Amino acid sequence: MPDHTRSPDIPDAFDVYTVVVLRRPPDATEMSDAELDTLQARHLAYRAELRRGGSIVVNGPFAEQSDPGYRGMSIFACDLAEAARLSDGDPSVIAGRLTYDAMEWWVAAGSLAFPLAGRPVGDRRSMSDD
């Protein structure tokens, strides 16, 4: 007998990804242009190394956003705690120029593909998984 309590708009399965959104805090550390340039290079190198090592699947900056405090986003190939630990090691986070929000993002199973990852990303779940 079909379950009539569940909306037909809810997928049977989801792919769950770990997402980290970087943002500029209101009390960001003040730095000279030269210090910012050096820090940005270190930030980009750190994120690139996480990508090369397989911890980050994809990442990049935001543009044309409604809130300029949001700076960029990464999808990690690890759980939330590990993504937070790795984000804590970002030179821009350590320097107080960036902070982040880490979360799980549930999308309909099979909606996204990461061909450059070379392996499956995310965790397949259903609404009944707890």
Side-chain angles (χ1 to χ4, degrees), residues 44 46 63 77 79 87 97 101 105 107 112 117:
L44 293 174
Y46 181 77
D79 67 20
S87 295
R97 287 295 295 179
D101 298 308
W105 183 37
V107 300
L112 293 175

Side-chain angles (χ1 to χ4, degrees), residues 100-130:
Y100 63 89
D101 298 308
M103 63 208 76
E104 285 187 345
W105 183 37
W106 291 48
V107 300
S111 296
L112 293 175
F114 300 99
L116 300 179
R119 62 186 166 92
V121 176
D123 182 27
R124 181 77 39 104
R125 297 187 202 164
S126 70
M127 288 303 287
S128 62
D129 293 346
D130 288 298

